[in-house]
Amino acid sequence: MSVSQTLGGPSRCGRILGPSLDKIVKNAAWRKHSHIVSSCKSTFEKLETLSDTGLPDPKSHVLGISSSDADLVLAPILLALESNYTKITEPALECTFKLFSLGIVRGEIDRKASNPILYKILESACKLGGTGEESVELAVLRVLLSAVRCPCVLIRGDCLLHVVRTCYNVYLGSLTRTNQLCAKSVLAQIMLIVFTRAEEDSMDVSIKTVSINELLEFTDKNLNEGTSIYNCQSFISEVMNASEGVPNLKLSQPIMVHDLQNGESKWSNGERNEEVEEEEIKEGMESGSGVVSSKIREDGFHVFRNLCKLSMKFSSQENPDNQVLLRGKTLSLELLKVIMDNGGPIWQTKERQVILYQVQVGF
């Protein structure tokens, strides 16, 4: 009785988790999801005993919760996302959106990071983007944009690539034009976030909200149906505004990287022959009299390079008129244009970016 009354206890994290866990318990198929229900109840009991700590635990990836309890309180959300059962994945996605947009979770998110549960939560959300359900696709896009937007979280390496790829897949594969337009808008907004931060070398920056009308200037004019533009603009603005004013307690300073694995990219998934040569990357990173790049800027460069790769893929001989591939290539070029149109001196003049872009557009 007390669990349903308190719905998560007095902590800020508990007030967000509580209502979502309650929905998950009520919507779960009790036999099939008994382990999820059990995890939710254990988390309820733990949250009732927790209150926001006076000083943030620097080792914890959940605001106000000790590092020893952080994984426990997030475990049922991860289990719900992994269930692929819409009635419980939807409240889990809504909760994940709030955790990111309100700055409750924090730290680096990467396969090799010290807080793997955040990586698993984001990875599970990405997988749900391929379910084909309209409401789930939109919920996934909200989560991904809020995660990238959150000033307390730095999404890195192949995890950032996975986020971008998921949005691409929704754009190319969704059955609804509104969702296709939302996916394209989310990608453009992610580009603005990543490259504005890279320009300033800081997570705490003012970020412009993308204009949907401008994205339809050259292509996808057929996606402008009825209230689609208005709905998509509202969708983007809602997510962007939800993170306004979130204090950046952990990632305000540039995160320096002294050894980027000999220039190897975490993005390639083994496709080494299609990438820029390793020695060229090393030379680029080591140029400038030993200047050390930050993780923020290196991730920006990796995004830029992979957009170039995506836009240079060719159709196979078996399917020379591959319209999906053509749409993907066109989208990549449009995103590169968004980056260059909104970039400052770093991204308009830095040698590596300029060379890649010139090669791409055929200069």
Side-chain angles (χ1 to χ4, degrees), residues 304 347-359:
F304 193 96
W347 296 98
Q348 291 177 346
T349 61
K350 197 172 182 182
E351 183 177 357
R352 283 185 295 169
Q353 285 72 250
V354 172
I355 290 175
L356 280 170
Y357 186 68
Q358 288 178 341
V359 169

Side-chain angles (χ1 to χ4, degrees), residues 33-292:
H33 304 128
S34 59
H35 63 298
I36 300 177
V37 173
S38 176
S39 179
C40 288
K41 290 184 176 180
S42 297
T43 300
F44 268 129
E45 293 175 1
K46 172 58 70 174
L47 288 172
E48 284 190 321
T49 68
L50 301 177
S51 58
D52 291 331
T53 55
L55 294 174
D57 183 346
K59 296 182 180 180
S60 177
H61 42 275
V62 181
L63 180 66
I65 304 295
S66 67
S67 56
S68 59
D69 294 322
D71 283 5
L72 174 64
V73 301
L74 294 178
I77 299 299
L78 175 59
L79 291 174
L81 292 173
E82 291 176 338
S83 71
N84 202 27
Y85 183 62
T86 303
K87 289 185 177 180
I88 62 177
T89 57
E90 287 187 332
L93 286 168
E94 176 65 21
C95 182
T96 305
F97 164 70
K98 292 179 180 178
L99 291 172
F100 281 118
S101 62
L102 298 177
I104 301 299
V105 293
R106 50 198 55 240
E108 280 191 36
I109 302 182
D110 194 2
R111 188 186 298 274
K112 297 181 179 180
S114 59
N115 46 0
I117 193 167
L118 294 183
Y119 174 83
K120 292 177 181 178
I121 285 174
L122 206 55
E123 184 180 45
S124 298
C126 286
K127 289 179 181 178
L128 291 173
T131 61
E133 296 186 44
E134 180 180 355
S135 60
V136 174
E137 287 176 347
L138 288 175
V140 169
L141 291 173
R142 287 177 81 223
V143 167
L144 299 185
L145 181 54
S146 67
V148 176
R149 173 70 179 93
C150 180
C152 310
V153 168
L154 179 62
I155 302 174
R156 299 219 60 226
D158 57 354
C159 187
L160 182 57
L161 177 63
H162 199 179
V163 169
V164 173
R165 186 188 299 120
T166 300
C167 297
Y168 258 86
N169 290 340
V170 174
Y171 170 75
L172 295 173
S174 178
L175 299 177
T176 70
R177 293 185 175 184
T178 298
N179 284 18
Q180 291 176 31
L181 183 55
C182 281
K184 182 175 185 177
S185 305
V186 167
L187 278 167
Q189 189 65 66
I190 287 175
M191 295 305 116
L192 288 181
I193 294 169
V194 169
F195 290 96
T196 300
R197 287 174 175 168
E199 186 72 39
E200 300 295 331
D201 212 1
S202 171
M203 298 291 290
D204 189 15
V205 295
S206 177
I207 299 170
K208 170 187 173 183
T209 300
V210 71
S211 169
I212 310 299
N213 281 313
E214 292 179 4
L215 291 179
L216 301 180
E217 183 179 358
F218 300 109
T219 63
D220 287 329
K221 294 182 180 180
N222 62 314
L223 298 182
N224 182 11
E225 285 187 343
T227 59
S228 291
I229 290 183
Y230 174 81
N231 291 336
C232 289
Q233 192 70 66
S234 298
F235 177 86
I236 295 293
S237 298
E238 177 200 353
V239 179
M240 294 297 291
N241 293 336
S243 293
E244 287 295 332
V246 173
N248 179 11
L249 301 179
K250 194 168 183 178
L251 294 170
S252 59
Q253 298 301 318
I255 303 168
M256 309 313 290
V257 53
H258 295 271
D259 183 7
L260 284 168
Q261 299 181 341
N262 295 323
E264 292 180 7
S265 170
K266 299 179 183 178
W267 299 67
S268 63
N269 293 326
E271 297 176 325
R272 298 289 299 152
N273 58 323
E274 294 182 10
E275 296 189 20
V276 177
E277 290 297 324
E278 181 177 339
E279 288 304 315
E280 293 178 11
I281 301 169
K282 279 186 67 177
E283 290 172 5
M285 282 189 280
E286 293 171 355
S287 64
S289 303
V291 173
V292 182

